[in-house]
Amino acid sequence: MNAQKGTVYLVGAGPGDPDLLTLKAARLLATADVVLHDDLVPDAIVSLANPHALITSVGKRCGRPRITQAGIHELMIDSARRNLSVVRLKSGDPLVFGRAAEELNALREANIPAEVIPGVSAVFAAGATLQLPLTDRRTASKLILISGSHAADKTNPLPMWQGPLPEDATLAIYMPGRNLKTLAEDLRNHGVSADTPCVAVSSAATPQQTAVAATLADFGNLEPGHAPLLILIGRAMASMLQGKQDEATRQLLEASASALTPSPSF
């Protein structure tokens, strides 16, 4: 189905790999009259839009809005009322920390038809590329998603997490900020065990992806990659630490073997 006139589509662009777009997302992009996209949506995906579409970036850069949220609502509503089809292209999945609730409320109040097209959220992209199951019947039967970012008018926000993390849970923190030391201290002070495996994933499922891992006790000493950043915490992440231990063991064995190898005689 092509994009319909007068309708707004909240489309998930996924983590940035065009191959991870749904077929429906690609089809709507190719036929929409207007595309309003987040800054995190890469050019490779924006380039799939209808060549005759009006394309506008409405995202944020370093936390500074190029346009207010109310301004985005106005663009969507005005375009639809002019009988144009609109794709509101959002990174990841529109319904996971993507302000979809605010945008859908505005569209409903304006009596504008809307549809949501899901995308691959960062947590699933990170798990897939690192081959880290987010749930595992042996270690994790719960997946908890939280955001480190709060609405601007929210005063005295609660800590990101309070109390011990269930042993059978994986905690995913979106938009955690770059200060891993403060984050690790906050989690420990609020009950998360110091020996819990933690992974920081930067730019999940893109060519720029990086990942670092440690137990919570040492997590604050790591240097995270560039935004967008995602933190994964829980026993299901233990294989990342095992990989580090295996590499350290390999290097130690190589060093020992080198030290024991007799020097050649001449």
Side-chain angles (χ1 to χ4, degrees):
M1 181 186 73
N2 294 341
Q4 300 299 299
K5 302 292 185 183
T7 300
V8 175
Y9 300 90
L10 274 58
V11 176
D17 183 350
D19 288 340
L20 293 180
L21 281 175
T22 65
L23 292 175
K24 189 168 188 177
R27 189 165 58 248
L28 291 172
L29 261 178
T31 57
D33 299 314
V34 176
V35 176
L36 308 173
H37 68 88
D38 287 345
D39 271 345
L40 288 177
V41 178
D43 292 342
I45 290 179
V46 176
S47 67
L48 300 176
N50 178 356
H52 304 295
L54 174 62
I55 300 174
T56 305
S57 174
V58 294
K60 292 184 176 182
R61 193 60 81 177
C62 299
R64 295 187 294 272
R66 180 175 290 129
I67 183 173
T68 64
Q69 189 63 42
I72 295 174
H73 299 169
E74 186 177 348
L75 282 175
M76 293 190 299
I77 292 167
D78 287 352
S79 297
R81 283 177 173 166
R82 288 189 288 121
N83 202 35
L84 300 173
S85 54
V86 182
V87 162
R88 173 69 177 98
L89 190 60
K90 306 168 82 67
S91 59
D93 182 276
L95 303 181
V96 180
F97 306 125
R99 301 194 181 189
E102 297 168 57
E103 295 179 3
L104 287 170
N105 286 342
L107 294 169
R108 290 181 187 126
E109 290 175 3
N111 292 316
I112 301 296
E115 186 176 340
V116 179
I117 291 79
V120 178
S121 191
V123 66
F124 305 116
T129 54
L130 295 172
Q131 297 188 10
L132 284 174
L134 303 171
T135 61
D136 185 322
R137 65 177 183 169
R138 299 166 297 181
T139 56
S141 60
K142 303 180 182 71
L143 176 59
I144 304 168
L145 310 184
I146 65 174
S147 170
S149 177
H150 300 282
D153 61 350
K154 186 171 183 179
T155 57
N156 300 319
L158 295 172
M160 285 192 205
W161 182 261
Q162 295 187 80
L165 182 67
E167 285 291 319
D168 62 342
T170 298
L171 177 65
I173 306 176
Y174 286 68
M175 298 169 281
R178 290 182 47 78
N179 192 332
L180 297 188
K181 183 177 180 62
T182 298
L183 173 63
E185 289 176 352
D186 186 57
L187 291 172
R188 289 185 64 182
N189 289 340
H190 286 90
V192 181
S193 175
D195 66 348
T196 306
C198 304
V199 183
V201 187
S202 167
S203 303
T206 72
Q208 294 75 41
Q209 175 178 295
T210 61
V212 291
T215 62
L216 185 58
D218 298 320
F219 195 55
N221 299 322
L222 301 181
E223 184 66 30
H226 297 292
L229 193 64
L230 176 77
I231 307 297
L232 299 172
I233 301 171
R235 302 299 172 190
M237 303 297 107
S239 61
M240 286 289 288
L241 299 184
Q242 185 61 50
K244 291 179 62 177
Q245 293 165 357
D246 291 346
E247 177 62 18
T249 300
R250 183 189 65 78
Q251 292 178 358
L252 180 62
L253 290 174
E254 287 182 352
S256 299
S258 176
L260 293 173
T261 302
S263 300
S265 56
F266 296 98

